[in-house]
Amino acid sequence: MMSLLGIAVVMVGLIARFNPILVITAAALVTGLAGGLDPLTVIRAIGKGFNDARYISVAFLVLPVIGLMERGGLQARAKALIGRLRSMTVGRLLIAYLALRQISAALGLLSLGGQATMVRPLIAPMAEADEEARRGAPDAPRRVLIRSHAAAADNVGAFFGEDIFIALGSVLLIQAVLQQNHLTVAPLRIALWAIPTALVAFAVHATRLALLDHRLRAPRAPAPTTAPDP
Amino acid sequence: MITVDVAYAMAGVVFVAIAVFSALDRANPKRWHNTAFWGLFGASFLAGRWLGDLINGLLVIAMVLVGGIGGLGISRPATTTPAQREASAARFGSRLFLPVLLIPATALTGTLLLKGLKVGGVFLVQPTQVTVICTALGVLLALAWAIGMLKPPLAAVPQEARRLMDSVGWAAILPQLLAALGAVFALAGVGDAVARLIGQCCRWTAGWPWWPPTAWVWRCSP
């Protein structure tokens, strides 16, 4: 039971807005020690867990390419393109990307999108350019709001799309966990019953994006954030 | 067999290069923090396989202390001006998208074509990490294309990478840290503890006839 202390550390730490990497590391140490492991074993577990997960960070390899293309005017080009589409709004653009991401993920094409490969170089600049064409250059809070919605559309689409494709890790993980608990379920059925969830997720998030358009139309800027303009 | 270590080596080289250029950046007041952070991250990618769990764990804690307490500076390496970017965008047009799109395209076709491909009875590419390896391959091709198209000074490659990595900052290690936290949770039996806690709640509320979830929970419990 004491090992649940780590979850409390995560909650309190994140609510108190401490630096997340400090909070997560502290939670790992507390969980291990409270769970009766000795300190060196906990550090070994952290090291092994971190090392085994390096494949996640290989995505950063795209940054040199993105940086070079930005240097060559990639974002300027994305803005010029979106400027030609008069009926496009930030919300509609992101709804279209959400649908595209969800459908391609459902077909197993998860590697087609992503924060580093699509959102940063293409989707976010297009959304910002659209706002700029409509109401002038967005101030820092608006810019951050638009960028975070662009990132969220990618996440929601990928998350609620991949469960529909039977051969992806998520479905196999669900099956394995259920199997461990003596419930035998065919991957195809897991994938099938992911479809209602996916449709609801699309409806909910598309509504949020439509509301984003509404919010951007409001003359007053959204609640100020402390995020700097990078 | 081409293993995922190839992709890790590439990432390691990129992070070490970022560390080196951070060390040379006198304009960044926290340049030694950036150097240490990206250097350690690079070391994890280049040598993580051989360092052993304990050293890897200490390396993670060092990165967390540097990034979380010391803090990283955001560098502003020399890049092109907005006017230069507009001119370049007008010159190259939509061709600018091609190197960027080549990466997911390579990852995708590579995964479809190379998964399960055997040469002389051995997998050509490590079957469990085909997408990661093909992404790295796509990056190599895209980088060559981008350099050929834009003909930037060579130092621009690590400098542009540094500009973007510094804007990610300490958050770069967050996904891997969460994975490590998950590993510790599994080792310390957090899942079992949660299951026991819920079981106790069920037993505790079982005598409450007016408590609607009770019947439902009992029906669902094995």
Side-chain angles (χ1 to χ4, degrees), chain A residues 20 25 28 31 43 47 50-51 53-55 57 60-61 63 67-73 77 81 109 111 120 122, chain B residues 8 44-45 48 57 60 64 80 85 88-89 93-94 96-97 104 108 139 146 150 160 163-165 170 176 181 184-185:
Chain A
T25 311
T31 302
I43 294 177
F50 189 86
N51 201 52
R54 285 180 298 170
Y55 66 93
S57 300
F60 290 128
L61 268 180
L63 291 186
L68 275 185
M69 298 320 291
E70 285 184 4
R71 185 190 168 88
R77 180 63 191 165
L81 274 186
L109 308 177
S111 49
R120 158 89 200 195
L122 300 175
Chain B
Y8 292 165
S44 166
F45 276 86
V60 173
V64 168
T80 45
R85 291 186 178 194
S88 173
S94 290
L96 287 169
F97 297 125
L108 191 70
V139 167
L150 302 172
E160 294 292 337
R163 178 171 65 84
L164 293 181
M165 269 329 288
W170 50 259
Q176 280 182 251
L181 178 65
V184 175
F185 272 12

Side-chain angles (χ1 to χ4, degrees), chain B:
Chain B
M1 184 170 76
I2 301 169
T3 66
V4 72
D5 286 320
V6 176
Y8 292 165
M10 274 174 65
V13 168
V14 171
F15 293 131
V16 168
I18 290 171
V20 170
F21 278 87
S22 297
L24 299 174
D25 183 4
R26 288 173 191 282
N28 179 358
K30 292 192 169 177
R31 62 172 163 149
W32 297 117
H33 291 186
N34 289 39
T35 306
F37 188 84
W38 298 124
L40 288 168
F41 203 27
S44 166
F45 276 86
L46 288 175
R49 190 177 167 184
W50 296 279
L51 288 177
D53 293 343
L54 184 63
I55 306 281
N56 275 324
L58 293 173
L59 195 137
V60 173
I61 290 176
M63 283 167 73
V64 168
L65 291 178
V66 172
I69 294 179
L72 301 183
I74 295 180
S75 62
R76 305 228 175 256
T79 183
T80 45
T81 63
Q84 283 171 319
R85 291 186 178 194
E86 294 285 346
S88 173
R91 180 177 161 209
F92 293 105
S94 290
R95 274 189 293 158
L96 287 169
F97 297 125
L98 296 178
V100 175
L101 296 174
L102 179 66
I103 300 171
T106 311
L108 191 70
T109 48
T111 306
L112 294 177
L113 293 178
L114 298 179
K115 193 161 195 164
L117 183 70
K118 287 187 179 182
V119 176
V122 184
F123 283 110
L124 180 65
V125 180
Q126 186 183 350
T128 48
Q129 297 281 13
V130 181
T131 308
V132 172
I133 297 165
C134 290
T135 303
L137 174 70
V139 167
L140 278 182
L141 297 175
L143 207 53
W145 196 349
I147 292 172
M149 185 192 290
L150 302 172
K151 301 191 175 55
L154 269 187
V157 181
Q159 290 288 40
E160 294 292 337
R162 184 164 75 99
R163 178 171 65 84
L164 293 181
M165 269 329 288
D166 274 354
S167 68
V168 178
W170 50 259
I173 64 167
L174 195 54
Q176 280 182 251
L177 266 187
L178 287 167
L181 178 65
V184 175
F185 272 12
L187 198 66
V190 171
D192 293 338
V194 170
R196 272 204 305 281
L197 190 69
I198 290 175
Q200 272 179 6
C201 286
C202 288
R203 275 190 289 284
W204 191 46
T205 56
W208 302 0
W210 44 270
W211 181 245
T214 307
W216 180 80
V217 166
W218 275 116
R219 198 153 46 82
C220 294
S221 57

Side-chain angles (χ1 to χ4, degrees), chain A residues 71-140:
Chain A
R71 185 190 168 88
L74 178 73
Q75 289 156 319
R77 180 63 191 165
K79 289 179 178 181
L81 274 186
I82 202 75
R84 291 190 201 154
L85 295 171
R86 283 270 136 235
S87 64
M88 195 53 100
T89 65
V90 175
R92 284 181 201 163
L93 173 77
L94 294 184
I95 290 172
Y97 181 66
L98 171 71
L100 199 72
R101 181 78 167 128
Q102 211 174 356
I103 291 168
S104 60
L107 296 174
L109 308 177
L110 201 58
S111 49
L112 271 189
Q115 305 295 348
T117 42
M118 291 298 280
V119 176
R120 158 89 200 195
L122 300 175
I123 305 300
M126 282 181 173
E128 276 177 50
D130 188 81
E131 171 69 9
E132 198 173 324
R134 223 158 270 280
R135 281 170 285 269
D139 54 5

